[in-house]
Amino acid sequence: MVVPIIAVSVLSHTGVVRQHNEDSVAVGPWTLCATATDSPQTFYFPLGATALTVAVADGLGGHPGGDLASSLIAGQLASTGGGLTDEQAVRDALQAGHETLHDAADADPALTGMSTTVAGLALTAESVFVFNVGDSRVYELTDTGPELLTTDDSPPLAEGQRTTHLVTSVLGGATPRDALAPHVTRLPVRPGARYLLCTDGLSDPVPPEEWTALITDGDADEDDQHAVVELWRAAIRAGGPDNITLALVRIDD
């Protein structure tokens, strides 16, 4: 039996305006925390009984410890992500991360308010669990364009408003310990599917309807690396107002 392979291409950058990267990313046991890459990195994993968890986290800018918050969540998901094989396990992992941030803030008053968004996938041989808290996002890249799979925790947009920097739920911060309500959706595994995880450093300045022209729909891993670079460049051309972190996940046949 041929075991499907998951290819994950990752790029993270400070953008133009920000001087420091408060984004972090976890790909299986690998993490890139609050730092930038000069070029995309690609990782390969077999799709099996244990979960492969891929996630991006965006520490809230202007809050204490935003970079630490995203790093803690990425590290925790990297160490426990193999066990996220059902919806409850995903919810429990996010709640554990939420508790970790609150514990850290309680232990150090300088970190009061530390918080982060998170969005990701936990992939097993049978299911793909899509999850998020905050406004980081997961899209499926389809033939008709990007399809949003996550739900932003943001106030309603005014007429004509496309995005907002406000969030109504995060890990840690102003969300009480017992009030976390993560969004978790189960999808079937579909060989050939591609998913894009991103922080709002991409989705805010570059409308998703513009992404299709930047993404090559090919079979080679170079196409995925090319796609994340082109999306990053589009965000930079749009002013690069925030940190930009992308993870493109492909389930190969």
Side-chain angles (χ1 to χ4, degrees):
M1 181 180 66
V2 177
V3 177
I5 297 296
I6 304 171
V8 186
S9 298
V10 176
L11 182 65
S12 185
H13 198 271
T14 56
V16 174
V17 175
R18 299 290 180 88
Q19 299 299 311
H20 180 62
N21 195 356
E22 294 188 322
D23 289 357
S24 296
V25 59
V27 181
W30 179 87
T31 60
L32 182 71
C33 295
T35 190
T37 55
D38 294 327
S39 60
Q41 308 292 315
T42 301
F43 304 86
Y44 305 92
F45 303 88
L47 188 61
T50 60
L52 171 68
T53 297
V54 182
V56 296
D58 180 2
L60 266 65
H63 291 252
D67 53 350
L68 177 60
S70 71
S71 299
L72 286 171
I73 294 306
Q76 194 157 323
L77 288 174
S79 64
T80 64
L84 305 190
T85 55
D86 59 57
E87 182 175 332
Q88 189 57 50
V90 175
R91 293 185 182 277
D92 289 346
L94 295 175
Q95 181 64 40
H98 187 51
E99 297 277 352
T100 294
L101 297 191
H102 276 290
D103 289 345
D106 288 347
D108 183 354
L111 298 176
T112 298
M114 69 182 300
S115 57
T116 184
T117 70
V118 68
L121 302 171
L123 305 101
T124 72
E126 297 181 350
S127 302
V128 177
F129 296 96
V130 184
F131 60 86
N132 82 288
V133 177
D135 60 359
S136 292
R137 295 177 173 180
V138 178
Y139 291 83
E140 182 172 3
L141 303 179
T142 72
D143 292 339
T144 57
E147 177 184 344
L148 181 61
L149 301 180
T150 47
T151 301
D152 285 354
D153 290 306
S154 300
L157 297 176
E159 184 176 353
Q161 185 181 14
R162 191 179 65 81
T163 63
T164 175
H165 292 294
L166 300 177
V167 289
T168 56
S169 182
V170 289
L171 297 181
T175 304
R177 288 177 181 263
D178 60 353
L180 187 70
H183 307 281
V184 184
T185 304
R186 178 186 179 276
L187 302 174
V189 170
R190 187 171 59 80
R194 292 201 299 173
Y195 304 94
L196 181 70
L197 290 60
C198 66
T199 58
D200 62 356
L202 172 67
S203 55
D204 275 1
V206 187
E209 55 267 25
E210 297 180 8
W211 297 356
T212 301
L214 304 171
I215 299 173
T216 303
D217 186 17
D219 296 327
D221 301 316
E222 290 81 0
D223 293 327
D224 291 345
Q225 290 195 352
H226 176 79
V228 296
V229 169
E230 289 304 306
L231 290 167
W232 165 73
R233 286 175 174 168
I236 295 296
R237 288 195 299 269
D242 204 346
N243 304 149
I244 308 156
T245 299
L246 313 168
L248 202 162
V249 180
R250 177 198 294 267
I251 303 177
D252 282 335
D253 298 277

